[in-house]
Amino acid sequence: MFVGRFDYAIDAKGRLNFPAKFREDMGETFIVARWLDHCLAAFPTAEFEKVAERIAEKGLVKGRQVSRMLYSSAVEVTPDKQGRIQIPASLRTYANLDHDVTITGNRTFAEIWNTETWEANQADSDEDFTAAMEDLDF
């Protein structure tokens, strides 16, 4: 299970340390793609397949826009000996990954955020979190 928050800096070549705690569960290679709220998602290959199956269940017409955005942006990454992954320029631009980066666990996958965007999102989401927990009847 992917849990926790990790703060790193992305270098000028687009290399990002990926948490050692997550690397084992991700596998030797894994998928990074555009995700919601201008962040990226890192999926173990098997979990990415599950996402693909859920999109396919919606049918070609209903799932086409998500398919286009998700699959066209997806890249397979392999951490180097230092545990860094290479984030392509197009994904760095989408998620505004210019220096400070936050990687968070999200149960079956990880999210990769511009730290400033992550913190703003969290500051704005406290009331949303409370309402969501109430909706889940916690």
Side-chain angles (χ1 to χ4, degrees):
M1 180 179 297
F2 298 97
V3 297
R5 173 188 171 158
F6 304 87
D7 294 309
Y8 296 103
I10 196 165
D11 71 16
K13 295 179 181 179
R15 295 175 301 192
L16 173 65
N17 280 335
F18 202 78
K21 183 177 178 182
F22 290 174
R23 286 195 304 265
E24 185 176 323
D25 290 337
M26 281 290 174
E28 189 173 316
T29 63
F30 53 93
I31 306 296
V32 174
R34 284 177 66 156
W35 200 237
L36 304 170
D37 303 317
H38 286 274
C39 75
L40 306 179
F43 292 96
T45 303
E47 286 300 323
F48 194 71
E49 287 292 334
K50 289 178 185 177
V51 171
E53 289 169 11
R54 289 190 66 194
I55 295 168
E57 288 172 2
K58 297 297 179 188
L60 185 60
V61 174
K62 285 187 177 181
R64 73 184 183 277
Q65 193 62 26
V66 172
S67 292
R68 288 175 184 152
M69 298 300 281
L70 188 63
Y71 301 131
S72 68
S73 72
V75 295
E76 188 175 68
V77 298
T78 304
D80 65 14
K81 291 177 183 176
Q82 289 78 37
R84 299 173 301 187
I85 59 172
Q86 180 73 44
I87 306 290
S90 60
L91 290 178
R92 291 193 316 264
T93 299
Y94 169 76
N96 194 28
L97 303 180
D98 52 3
H99 190 266
D100 295 326
V101 175
T102 296
I103 301 173
T104 61
N106 196 337
R107 192 172 150 251
T108 59
F109 65 98
E111 292 180 336
I112 303 169
W113 291 83
N114 167 293
T115 298
E116 189 175 302
T117 303
W118 167 256
E119 290 176 353
N121 178 284
Q122 293 305 292
D124 293 342
S125 68
D126 195 44
E127 289 178 20
D128 293 339
F129 178 69
T130 300
M133 290 294 280
E134 289 171 350
D135 190 46
L136 290 172
D137 199 26
F138 269 92

